Amino acid sequence: MNISHKKINILASCLALSLLSHILFLYILRMFGTYTFVAPVNHTQAVMVDLAKLRENSAPLDPQKPREASDAGKSPLEEPGEKRHGAQEKKADSPAAAAGPVEPATLKPVDSIPPKRQKIDTPAASSQPATAPLPGAARKAATAPVIAPPLRTAGEFLASKNEKLTYAISLLGLPVGNAELEAKNENGEVRITLRVKSNTAISSLYPVDDVVETRHIAGNFLITKIKQQEGSFKSDIGFTLFLRDKSVFWIDLLKRRSVKESIPTSDVLDTLSGFYYLRNRALQVGTPEMLHIYDSEVYADVPVEVLRREKVRLPNLKEVKTVVVRPLQQTAGIFRRTGEILIWMTDDANKVPVRIVTSIALGKVTADLVSAETTPVEEKATEK
């Protein structure tokens, strides 16, 4: 019974609180007034435009194609003679109609709207007069780079297509090594290579392994590389002679040192090229020749004495007529620590060096020609 009585009291209390809250809500509404939660929708008023007046303020029409008076107020989307119904029927009912038509000054005429500009790419105006395009051959000639003519030609150094000379080197009459002198004419560019190597018996005591290479590029540049090993001495140097600029760039790859300097003449040559240039000269006994040599980081004028004519016997027992020359080298030369050099060249147009004699600390060194291979220039023309 007690539990039932408590439930009845709680239910009565809830009902009383609900009634009080509703009474309070109604009292508040009475104080502030009633609210309408649905907002009215105001329809947009129609705007009437007198197109006839707009036409008067717009650009004049083409006199050749006048429009009819009945079409003056026609919409652009309507066909000629078509009646407008909707706008005229709404005109009387519209609130804006009572105020009168809108002044045309406040609106932009339809015909006066400029058309959208189209971007047209046109070439920029030039102050230079227009010229007719050049033909293909003339255009290539005009744009081709100008190549300077060569200061040196292959014919000054090598009369044949290629040549390979092999020498046996002896010291005090004992064989100590061999040497190969090879020259090539590659499409007008000369490449000369000298290799000197000691034999097995001498290499254990005094090894010699020298390679000298010279290239003539376009008759205006000479590139020389010299790599040597003679006993404990080693070197790896190179230089480029710029004949037109009268300059030289020299570099030592082992010591990491380089020099760029001027030279007094464009007739400068390296030692190998100077030797081949001398072979193509008309040598006369008693008349010295002058060579301009860059070697051992030094430029020098090297006189060459033409001493005498002499017959010599080669290792194959063949006897040949020679002319003996002596270069008065003022630099260290290709071969280090050498003394006076004598060269025996055949007394003919080829002037092949058949014997070379020099001296070192141990004694006199002789290089005798043992074989020669030559391809004349005429053979190349015959093969074609």
Side-chain angles (χ1 to χ4, degrees):
M1 292 297 293
N2 292 333
I3 295 174
S4 301
H5 184 69
K6 287 181 179 181
K7 289 181 178 181
I8 294 172
N9 291 336
I10 292 172
L11 181 59
S13 300
C14 290
L15 292 174
L17 289 175
S18 178
L19 180 61
L20 289 176
S21 62
H22 282 78
I23 294 172
L24 180 62
F25 179 73
L26 294 176
Y27 178 76
I28 292 174
L29 291 179
R30 185 177 180 181
M31 289 177 61
F32 294 98
T34 60
Y35 289 88
T36 303
F37 294 98
V38 179
V41 178
N42 297 325
H43 297 281
T44 305
Q45 297 178 356
V47 178
M48 303 303 295
V49 179
D50 192 349
L51 296 180
K53 293 184 178 182
L54 293 180
R55 297 291 184 181
E56 294 176 0
N57 297 331
S58 62
L61 299 176
D62 190 354
Q64 297 179 0
K65 297 181 180 180
R67 292 188 180 182
E68 297 180 0
S70 59
D71 297 332
K74 178 181 66 65
S75 172
L77 300 180
E78 296 175 354
E79 295 296 331
E82 182 180 349
K83 295 182 179 181
R84 296 182 298 163
H85 300 284
Q88 294 179 356
E89 293 174 358
K90 292 181 181 180
K91 182 176 181 181
D93 301 333
S94 173
V102 180
E103 292 295 329
T106 61
L107 296 177
K108 191 173 184 180
V110 177
D111 291 350
S112 64
I113 299 176
K116 185 178 181 182
R117 295 183 179 180
Q118 295 182 357
K119 185 177 180 181
I120 302 176
D121 295 331
T122 58
S126 175
S127 59
Q128 300 295 334
T131 57
L134 296 174
R139 184 167 59 253
K140 290 182 179 179
T143 58
V146 179
I147 301 176
L151 295 179
R152 293 287 188 176
T153 60
E156 296 181 70
F157 305 94
L158 188 61
S160 58
K161 179 182 177 182
N162 56 65
E163 179 185 70
K164 184 177 181 180
L165 308 176
T166 304
Y167 297 86
I169 303 176
S170 60
L171 173 62
L172 301 175
L174 299 175
V176 294
N178 58 79
E180 288 184 356
L181 184 59
E182 186 174 7
K184 296 181 179 180
N185 183 349
E186 300 175 339
N187 298 322
E189 296 187 356
V190 178
R191 181 193 294 263
I192 306 172
T193 305
L194 172 64
R195 300 179 181 88
V196 180
K197 192 174 182 65
S198 58
N199 57 25
T200 305
I202 298 300
S203 295
S204 59
L205 300 175
Y206 190 84
V208 175
D209 190 0
D210 298 339
V211 179
V212 183
E213 183 181 40
T214 297
R215 294 179 59 194
H216 293 216
I217 308 298
N220 292 318
F221 308 93
L222 272 71
I223 302 176
T224 300
K225 299 178 182 179
I226 304 174
K227 192 171 184 178
Q228 295 177 288
Q229 179 182 0
E230 299 177 9
S232 60
F233 173 81
K234 291 184 179 181
S235 72
D236 189 358
I237 63 175
F239 57 87
T240 300
L241 296 171
F242 302 89
L243 302 185
R244 288 194 170 274
D245 295 339
K246 297 181 182 179
S247 63
V248 59
F249 177 76
W250 180 91
I251 184 170
D252 189 329
L253 298 177
L254 296 183
K255 297 180 180 179
R256 299 184 181 276
R257 186 170 64 91
S258 63
V259 175
K260 186 174 183 180
E261 57 185 353
S262 301
I263 49 180
T265 177
S266 296
D267 294 333
V268 64
L269 299 170
D270 65 287
T271 302
L272 277 184
S273 300
F275 175 67
Y276 272 83
Y277 175 77
L278 184 65
R279 290 179 55 188
N280 286 272
R281 301 288 294 172
L283 302 179
Q284 299 293 332
V285 176
T287 303
E289 297 285 340
M290 182 64 69
L291 298 177
H292 308 283
I293 301 298
Y294 184 86
D295 180 72
S296 305
E297 200 182 346
V298 177
Y299 166 85
D301 295 331
V302 179
V304 179
E305 296 180 341
V306 183
L307 300 178
R308 60 186 182 274
R309 283 183 168 84
E310 181 180 329
K311 289 183 179 181
V312 297
R313 192 172 297 277
L314 300 179
N316 60 359
L317 303 179
K318 182 179 179 179
E319 188 178 69
V320 295
K321 294 179 180 181
T322 65
V323 56
V324 184
V325 300
R326 178 172 59 191
L328 303 178
Q329 187 85 6
Q330 299 178 12
T331 63
I334 295 177
F335 304 104
R336 311 293 174 175
R337 296 174 298 279
T338 58
E340 182 184 72
I341 298 178
L342 294 176
I343 303 173
W344 281 258
M345 295 188 292
T346 57
D347 191 9
D348 55 18
N350 296 323
K351 294 185 178 62
V352 179
V354 295
R355 179 172 292 174
I356 302 173
V357 177
T358 187
S359 60
I360 61 174
L362 298 178
K364 186 171 65 173
V365 177
T366 302
D368 285 320
L369 180 68
V370 294
S371 69
E373 301 174 13
T374 303
T375 303
V377 177
E378 290 76 12
E379 284 193 10
K380 183 177 181 180
T382 304
E383 289 176 0
K384 290 183 178 181

